[in-house]
Amino acid sequence: MEMIYLDNAATTRVDDAVALAVNEVFLESYGNASSLHDVGQEAKRHLEGSREKIAAYFGCEPKEITFTSGGTESNNLAIRGLAKANPEKKHIVTSVIEHPCVLDTCKDLESEGYEVDYLKVDEQGIVSLDEVREKVRDDTLVVSVMHVNNEIGTLQPVEEIGIICRKKGVYFHTDNVQGFLKEDLALASIDLMSISGHKVQAPKGVGILYIRNGVKIKPILTGGGQENNLRSGTENVPGAVGLAAAIDVDFKIDEVRYSRDKIIEGLMKISGTRINGSLTHRVYNNINVSFYGIEGEALMLMLNEMGIFVSTGSACASTKLKESYVLKALDVDEMYIHGSIRLSLGVDVIGKEDYIVGKVSEAVEKLREMSPFKLPLEELGVGGSELGEGKIKGVAREVEDE
Amino acid sequence: MDAVVMGNVDYNKNVMEHFRNPRNMGELEDADAEATVGNPSCGDVMKIMIKVKDDVIVDIKFQTMGCAAAIATSSMATELAKSKTLEEAEKISNKDVSLALGELPPIKEHCSNLAADALRKAIEVYRKKTA
Ligand SMILES: Cc1ncc(COP(=O)(O)O)c(C=O)c1O
Ligand SMILES: [Zn+2]
C-alpha cells in the first residue's frame, strides 16, 4: 500500500543532508562548546558557524540569534523573559488563534496579575490592524501574533502589526514556527521571533529565538550562562547544525503550492465541502477542509487505514467533543467543525494529487453512508461546496457562478 | 502538543474491525420505530431503526455520525439486539456492548454509551406506538 504523509505541520522527516550533517557532529564534533580544549572549541566552531549562517539568512547579527529547545521554549522565553525584564508593564496583546504555548503562557501570566487582550479574527482567521491599534496601551509589554497558523495556515499581516507596535514603542513578537523557510518575512519591524527545527526537516528539540539588539529581556532558564546568559544548558550543537543545514533544503514551494490548489479543487467537487481559512493568505502547503455530516476523527482513522496520514481538529473525548478553538474562532458552523481534517503537504504529494483526492472522496463517501445526517442540498445548492470565505449557510460556488 | 493532534486513543482490533465493516448499517425501509440520541455538540449522533414481529426484533439498522468508538458500538449493539425479544433487547446495557467489543479507550466511554441508549429509546418508541 502506498503511504503518503500529510502531517508536515505536526512534524517533518529530517532531510537526508541535514541528518548527515547532524550525524557528523554526533560522531566527530561531540565536545561541549563551553570547553576550552580543542574538542570543545571544535564544537563551538560548529555552533557559531550555524548561528552565523542563520543570521545571514535573516540579515541580522549572530548575537541576535539564541538557540533554544524549540518553538515552545522560544515562545515562553519571549513572553516570560520580557515580563521579567520589564516588570512595570503588565498588559499583553495576543490573538485567539495562537498556539497553546503562547495562549497558556498568557493565561499563566494572567493568573499572576497580567491583563491580556486576545485579538479576534475574521472568518478567514485574520486579525484586524485597527483592533491592534485600539488594544495597544502605554503599559503594553508585548504584542504577540503568529505569522502562520498551524491549523488553518492563515498568514497574518505581521510586518504591519510590527510597524504599529514600533510607532507606539511596544515590543512585537511573532511565532514563526510554521512560516520559517516557507513564507517570506522581513525582520525590520519585528523585535522577537520564534522558530522550531522539526517543522523544517531539522531535528526535534532545537529552536531559535531571534531577539533584536537592545530588547530588554531576562532568561527563564538559569544556570551555566550559555547563549550569552539568556539560555543556560549545554548547547545542543547537533541541533543547531541541523537547523542551519535546513536552510539549504529544497521544499519545492511552488510545486507543492500547485499541488495544494489541485487537491483543493478536487476536494471541492465533493458535495458539502468547506475549505477553512483564507484562500489567498495561506501558507503554501496547508489544506484545512470540512465535510458535512461526518466526524473528523473517523475520517482521519479511515484515511490512516488507506495509508494517508492527516490530522483532525476535533476529537470526542470524555464527555464532550473537543472542538478546534481555531475553527470556532472563525465562526465555522458546528457540523463543519466536526468533520474537519488538516492536510499539511510535503514534496511527496507532487504528482499524487488525484490519488489523494480519490482516497479522501472514498472515505468521505463511506462515512456519509453511515451518517444519519443527510446533506441539506436544497440549502447548499448543487455541488453544495463553498470555499470558506463566508459562513457555510451561504450559497454554493457552483450556484454563484451561474 | 500540536493542537490538531488527537488525544491518546488506542482502539483494539475488534473495535477497528467493526469500524471498518459495520454490521447492520444503513436505513431500514418500513421500520416500526426509530430513535436518535446524542447531538452534534457532544460529538456523536446515533440513529437506530427496528422492525418488530411478535415482540421480536426481526431487523435492525443504525446510522451514526461519530468517531470510531461510536460507529463500532452502534454496530455491536445492533448485532446483540438482532433476533432478541424486546424484553431481552431492552436489558442490553452499555456495559454489555463494550464488553462484547473488548476494551474501549477510557476517554471514549461517553461515545460507547450512546448505542444501548438509542436501542432502549427505539424500543420505548415502539411500545408507545403499539400500546
Ligand atoms: C505555531 C506553532 N508554535 C509553536 C509550536 C511548538 O513548537 P515545538 O514543538 O518546537 O515546541 C508549534 C508546533 O506544534 C506550532 O505549530
Ligand atoms: Zn465519539
Side-chain angles (χ1 to χ4, degrees), chain A residues 127-356:
Chain A
V127 301
S128 122
L129 295 177
D130 280 337
E131 201 190 359
V132 176
R133 279 186 206 101
E134 275 164 36
K135 292 288 155 63
V136 172
R137 318 192 305 217
D138 290 341
D139 66 335
T140 302
L141 173 73
V142 62
V143 175
S144 178
V145 176
M146 72 204 312
H147 182 207
V148 177
N149 180 268
N150 45 301
E151 284 190 42
I152 52 173
T154 296
L155 301 168
Q156 302 289 357
V158 287
E159 290 171 9
E160 290 85 340
I161 298 172
I163 291 168
I164 296 171
C165 294
R166 183 68 52 82
K167 280 186 186 149
K168 302 230 182 192
V170 167
Y171 289 136
F172 177 57
H173 165 251
T174 186
D175 173 348
N176 193 25
V177 166
Q178 295 286 350
F180 176 50
L181 303 180
K182 314 284 178 71
E183 297 290 339
D184 288 338
L185 181 60
L187 283 186
S189 66
I190 290 161
D191 297 309
L192 305 102
M193 173 181 63
S194 302
I195 277 167
S196 176
H198 72 101
K199 312 286 187 184
V200 291
Q201 300 198 246
K204 291 153 186 65
V206 64
I208 288 171
L209 181 64
Y210 160 81
I211 308 169
R212 171 181 298 283
N213 274 336
V215 167
K216 269 176 71 188
I217 188 164
K218 280 190 171 170
I220 56 172
L221 292 181
T222 46
Q226 290 89 344
E227 294 293 298
N228 200 19
N229 233 343
L230 258 176
R231 200 276 181 185
S232 287
T234 298
E235 298 92 336
N236 177 2
V237 181
V241 166
L243 221 167
I247 290 175
D248 300 323
V249 172
D250 182 4
F251 294 98
K252 298 200 164 74
I253 290 183
D254 291 335
E255 286 112 303
V256 172
R257 182 182 285 116
Y258 177 78
S259 298
R260 178 200 69 182
D261 291 345
K262 210 168 153 193
I263 294 170
I264 289 181
E265 217 167 89
L267 294 176
M268 291 306 294
K269 298 209 172 96
I270 305 173
S271 59
T273 304
R274 185 188 198 280
I275 303 292
N276 301 307
S278 168
L279 283 178
T280 46
H281 297 81
R282 190 181 200 99
V283 70
Y284 79 108
N285 69 337
N286 171 290
I287 301 174
N288 189 308
V289 59
S290 295
F291 302 98
Y292 185 92
I294 62 176
E295 208 261 341
E297 189 203 300
L299 181 56
M300 188 225 80
L301 212 57
M302 194 162 279
L303 288 171
N304 183 64
E305 301 268 297
M306 297 173 170
I308 294 183
F309 309 117
V310 305
S311 68
T312 174
S314 82
C316 52
S318 56
T319 59
K320 211 180 146 24
L321 185 91
K322 224 177 97 244
E323 290 175 326
S324 155
Y325 64 91
V326 176
L327 294 183
K328 257 188 118 96
L330 265 56
D331 213 11
V332 174
D333 188 275
E334 200 169 60
M335 283 296 277
Y336 279 91
I337 295 185
H338 283 285
S340 71
I341 53 170
R342 178 190 67 186
L343 286 58
S344 43
L345 318 181
V347 293
D348 53 342
V349 300
I350 298 169
K352 310 248 178 68
E353 301 86 357
D354 294 342
Y355 177 81
I356 292 165

Side-chain angles (χ1 to χ4, degrees), chain A residues 297 305 312 316 318 338 370, chain B residues 4 11 20 40 64 107-108 110:
Chain A
E297 189 203 300
E305 301 268 297
T312 174
C316 52
S318 56
H338 283 285
M370 292 188 203
Chain B
V4 187
Y11 293 120
R20 279 187 212 114
T64 293
I107 65 160
K108 290 291 178 181
H110 166 72

